[in-house]
Structure formats: C-alpha cells, structure tokens
Amino acid sequence: MISGISHITFVVKDLDRTDKIFRDVLGAEEVYDSGEQHYSLYREKFYVAGGQWIAVMETEEIVKRTYHHVAFRVEGSSLAAYRNRIKQAGLEIRPSRSRIGGEGESIYFYDYDNNLFELHTGTLQERLEAYKKG
C-alpha cells in the first residue's frame, strides 16, 4: 500500500539558475548537490520544501508547456508575498483557472524550463465540500 509521496522530480536545462527559484521563491533548503559526480542519470540537486523531498535534474531534454504541475500548500495571507517573489525572479505567472467559492486560491507560475508550479491555499476536503455545493 502506498504510504505517501517519496519525492517529486523536475527536469531543467540550467540547474544553477533554477536553484534560485527553489531557494528564493519557494524557500526550499538545498540538502544535496551531485556536482560533477552523478549517481543518477544527470547532475542533480535535492531540496526540502514543506517537508517534501524535491529532486531537480539537469538535461537538455525539456518538454513543452502543459498543465502538469505540482501544487504547494500555502497560507492565504502569504499569497501577495509569493506573488512578489515570483515577479522579482522574472517568472511568468499563468492566469488562474475559474474557481467556485470555497475551493481556495492559487498562483500558477512557470519556471525557466516549462515546469508549472501552483501555490494553493485550499485543502482536498475544502475542495470536495465546495464541489458538493456546486
């Protein structure tokens, strides 16, 4: 039986440039840098954000933009500060999808390599209740 998510992996072209997003925008802590000695497919860095292990790997194999994304839970009172961090980093904010009341608020943004991130204020239970009310 699955006990949780082990880790999330992002693939990027420039690991050092992306490092700034994880540290400065998301406030993640770097816990590993493979340098030139890689044990996996590519050079990589590991971060911890909100208790979650995040791996970022460097390669030229980048995909086009999609709605595939990871959503990090944040407090509603911090959305404005995150929006400012994202803008200061020069990242593109994607317009939010339409929402119904009670499902939370989100900021969507792309990193330099078409990875989509969401900062979301709601919980699964809140969304299910909002959808039930329709």
Side-chain angles (χ1 to χ4, degrees):
M1 183 153 204
I2 293 175
S3 63
I5 294 174
S6 169
H7 65 280
I8 300 165
T9 300
F10 294 97
V11 178
V12 303
K13 284 185 183 178
D14 185 332
L15 193 53
D16 296 323
R17 179 174 68 167
T18 299
D19 179 75
K20 291 176 179 51
I21 295 172
F22 280 89
R23 288 176 185 259
D24 299 344
V25 175
L26 300 174
E29 174 190 0
E30 180 187 307
V31 294
Y32 173 75
D33 183 342
S34 70
E36 295 307 314
Q37 181 180 12
H38 7 110
Y39 299 106
S40 190
L41 297 175
Y42 313 109
R43 180 177 169 228
E44 63 189 345
K45 289 188 178 193
F46 296 164
Y47 300 88
V48 174
Q52 179 62 58
W53 168 20
I54 301 170
V56 182
M57 303 177 90
E58 184 178 63
T59 182
E60 291 294 319
E61 302 168 16
I62 302 302
V63 299
K64 294 180 183 178
R65 287 186 174 181
T66 71
Y67 192 67
H68 295 277
H69 66 278
V70 63
F72 294 103
R73 174 125 166 63
V74 298
E75 295 300 320
S77 60
S78 65
L79 279 180
Y82 277 111
R83 187 176 297 279
N84 287 335
R85 289 184 194 175
I86 295 164
K87 287 179 180 178
Q88 288 175 352
L91 301 169
E92 180 185 339
I93 296 176
R94 174 190 165 123
S96 187
R97 65 172 178 75
S98 63
R99 300 215 176 252
I100 60 173
E103 69 170 299
E105 296 178 65
S106 292
I107 299 173
Y108 295 90
F109 67 96
Y110 288 103
D111 73 0
Y112 308 111
D113 301 292
N114 298 328
N115 293 302
L116 181 60
F117 294 84
E118 177 184 3
L119 302 176
H120 184 68
T121 64
T123 65
L124 173 60
Q125 190 59 39
E126 290 169 341
R127 183 165 298 184
L128 292 174
E129 288 174 20
Y131 283 6
K132 213 181 281 186
K133 293 176 186 173

